[in-house]
Amino acid sequence: MELQQYLKIIRDYWRSILATLFIVVAAVAGYTIVQDPTYRADATVFITVESGDTAGELSQGANYAERQVQSFVQVVSTASVLQPVIDELNLDATPASLSRSISASSPNATSLIEIAATGDTPTEVTDLANAVAASLVSTVDDLAPTSSDGLNLVSASVIDPATVPTTPTAPKPMTNLALAVILGLLLAFGQALLREVLDTRVRDAADIQEVTDKPILATVGHISKNMTPSERRAHSEAYRRLRTNVTFVGLGGERKKSLVITSSLLDEGKTQTAVSLASVLAQAGETVLLIDADLRRPSVANRLQIDNELGLTDILTKRGTLADLAIPAATNLWVLPSGTVPPNPSELLGSGAMKQLLSLAEREFDYVVLDTPPVLPVTDAVVVASQAGGAIVVSRAGVTKRSQIQSTIDVLESGLVSTLGLVLNDAELKSREERYGYYSGYTQGDANAENAAPRLTGIVRGRS
């Protein structure tokens, strides 16, 4: 991954990153607070081995001494050393349980045995370490071999008795805090990276660009009933940008005037985009026909609050004409509702009557915008788009997955459909320009492109 991708992950998941870091630090801090302090005291015992005067005797003595030191390190945890300590200090413990509070070690190539005692109080561990050291000295005297004249060949003495510790060895708040921050950051970024890998939903234009090289014609923010005037202007500007880009992409090799608005799945905002695009094209002085070609779940008429009793299906079944059934909805804008939902939508949309209707509409209007069903569930959109100038795919941020976008484009291309570009809908707009638009002089009347068509005045009564 590149640095920009990591920064994007941080930007997308910063809340969960901070939450994970806080939980880890809080958990470690809580454990540190409730943990009882532990103290440690150390005593050092020196082991002496008698050796001869020659070089060979000295070498043998050194090897023997090293073996003896390692042996007595193991002896420290035995009952022969610990039971006298228990009796001396009147401890309520057994040699086995006491050995868990005692540790012994010897630095390499030395005759030293370092005895460490741990416990809850400073005086307790000090007395324990000194008592174990003294008991080891006695045990060494008892176990050491003797020479021919009765002298011990091995002896021990305490050279560094334990002193009372002034600070506990555990817990260590600053060390624990530093480790908690490091662990928290690792877990926080780890879970964010894992979520990014597992979550393939698109959230911004960069996600779409990772899937396809098709142009992103517009990015539209979230629409709500309580939008501010500035937010309405931003949405209006987004659809104007879509209108401008549509005029540049080139509708088919023959410069056809018709285009299909579709999506991968349901509820991605294709109908809203179709209505808004038709409205802003009409506002620019273009004559536009908006056709509801979604014969399975038509919604254009309901959105524009017009009659849906007669429409596209009636023309395709020779029960009406475009001139009779096209409804003037605003200046330069006519709407052809779906009409009665048929039992065979794909067959009707792929019929010769549909091709004739599109040819007529392209001659009569500057632009023909068709709202169709989503691509992946049914073939209707491909059937219609193959006869039109191309298709625009609408994707909803946080809902549509990257694989679905790729599959949609593949299906369209397999049907010889020109994918003009994509529209990212319901996106989180992060920059000030994206949130509030580029211009502040727009009037409230054209602020909300979604509902622009029904609000416009100067309705045309007919078309020759």
Side-chain angles (χ1 to χ4, degrees):
M1 282 190 176
E2 298 180 355
L3 178 60
Q4 290 182 345
Q5 292 175 300
Y6 285 110
L7 294 177
K8 177 179 177 297
I9 293 175
I10 294 174
R11 184 189 66 200
D12 291 340
Y13 298 101
W14 66 270
R15 293 182 181 85
S16 63
I17 290 175
L18 290 180
T20 303
L21 178 61
F22 174 79
I23 290 173
V24 172
V25 172
V28 172
Y31 174 76
T32 302
I33 292 173
V34 301
Q35 189 178 10
D36 294 329
T38 301
Y39 293 87
R40 170 175 168 160
D42 298 276
T44 305
V45 175
F46 182 74
I47 304 297
T48 304
V49 177
E50 298 293 336
S51 59
D53 297 329
T54 66
E57 291 175 338
L58 289 173
S59 177
Q60 292 177 358
N63 293 333
Y64 178 74
E66 184 174 351
R67 290 195 300 273
Q68 289 299 307
V69 168
Q70 295 302 321
S71 298
F72 285 119
V73 166
Q74 303 299 320
V75 170
V76 171
S77 59
T78 63
S80 60
V81 173
L82 298 182
Q83 186 60 52
V85 174
I86 294 173
D87 297 338
E88 177 186 351
L89 300 179
N90 296 320
L91 300 177
D92 183 16
T94 62
S97 62
L98 184 60
S99 65
R100 291 192 286 269
S101 301
I102 300 295
S103 64
S105 62
S106 175
N108 291 333
T110 67
S111 297
L112 301 177
I113 297 178
E114 296 177 349
I115 299 172
T118 57
D120 298 333
T121 62
T123 56
E124 174 189 340
V125 297
T126 303
D127 294 340
L128 182 58
N130 287 328
V132 172
S135 180
L136 176 62
V137 171
S138 299
T139 303
V140 170
D141 291 339
D142 295 339
L143 299 179
T146 59
S147 62
S148 57
D149 55 3
L151 297 176
N152 286 344
L153 296 178
V154 180
S155 61
S157 59
V158 179
I159 62 172
D160 190 8
T163 58
V164 178
T166 57
T167 58
T169 56
K172 297 180 179 179
M174 297 307 298
T175 301
N176 291 351
L177 180 61
L179 293 176
V181 171
I182 295 174
L183 177 61
L185 288 174
L186 290 176
L187 291 177
F189 285 110
Q191 64 85 25
L193 185 60
L194 180 62
R195 290 177 62 186
E196 175 69 15
V197 172
L198 296 179
D199 186 3
T200 60
R201 294 175 297 176
V202 296
R203 286 185 168 79
D204 52 30
D207 290 336
I208 296 180
Q209 290 171 342
E210 292 178 3
V211 178
T212 178
D213 57 357
K214 301 297 181 182
I216 300 173
L217 304 178
T219 299
V220 183
H222 178 70
I223 293 178
S224 65
K225 296 181 179 179
N226 300 321
M227 290 192 301
T228 65
S230 295
E231 290 173 332
R232 291 181 181 274
R233 286 194 294 271
H235 284 87
S236 180
E237 178 60 22
Y239 288 117
R240 285 186 174 88
R241 194 175 306 122
L242 173 60
R243 176 189 65 194
T244 301
N245 289 332
V246 163
T247 63
F248 282 114
V249 292
L251 303 181
E254 301 177 0
R255 191 59 173 84
K256 289 187 176 182
K257 302 177 180 180
S258 57
L259 66 154
V260 164
I261 308 297
T262 187
S263 61
S264 299
L265 299 172
L266 296 172
D267 300 324
E268 295 192 63
K270 62 178 183 61
T271 300
Q272 168 190 302
T273 302
V275 172
S276 299
L277 175 59
S279 299
V280 294
L281 284 170
Q283 291 172 15
E286 308 284 356
T287 55
V288 182
L289 175 64
L290 173 61
I291 301 178
D292 191 348
D294 188 345
L295 301 184
R296 299 177 188 269
R297 294 181 58 183
S299 56
V300 170
N302 181 62
R303 183 177 294 271
L304 297 179
Q305 298 180 353
I306 60 178
D307 187 13
N308 192 45
E309 183 177 355
L310 300 176
L312 176 61
T313 56
D314 298 280
I315 297 177
L316 299 182
T317 55
K318 309 300 183 181
R319 293 184 297 177
T321 64
L322 179 61
D324 295 333
L325 300 181
I327 300 174
T331 302
N332 299 324
L333 176 62
W334 283 260
V335 178
L336 180 61
S338 64
T340 305
V341 175
N344 56 341
S346 298
E347 288 77 2
L348 277 180
L349 294 174
S351 64
M354 183 66 185
K355 186 175 182 179
Q356 294 175 3
L357 172 62
L358 279 179
S359 298
L360 174 62
E362 289 172 355
R363 292 195 303 269
E364 293 292 322
F365 294 88
D366 295 327
Y367 285 95
V368 181
V369 179
L370 299 103
D371 179 33
T372 66
V375 171
L376 298 183
V378 292
T379 62
D380 299 13
V382 179
V383 171
V384 177
S386 63
Q387 305 175 59
I392 294 176
V393 179
V394 179
S395 299
R396 183 176 292 277
V399 175
T400 311
K401 296 182 179 180
R402 299 171 192 173
S403 60
Q404 293 170 342
I405 294 177
Q406 185 61 64
S407 298
T408 299
I409 294 175
D410 291 342
V411 170
L412 290 172
E413 291 183 346
S414 65
L416 303 180
V417 175
S418 174
T419 304
L420 304 177
L422 296 96
V423 173
L424 182 62
N425 189 39
D426 203 20
E428 180 181 356
L429 304 182
K430 299 177 177 62
S431 70
R432 180 179 178 85
E433 286 184 342
E434 286 177 318
R435 290 195 303 270
Y436 301 115
Y438 291 93
Y439 309 103
S440 59
Y442 292 132
T443 61
Q444 182 64 33
D446 59 12
N448 187 356
E450 177 189 7
N451 298 318
R455 290 184 179 181
L456 292 175
T457 58
I459 297 177
V460 177
R461 297 184 181 278
R463 182 175 178 83
S464 58

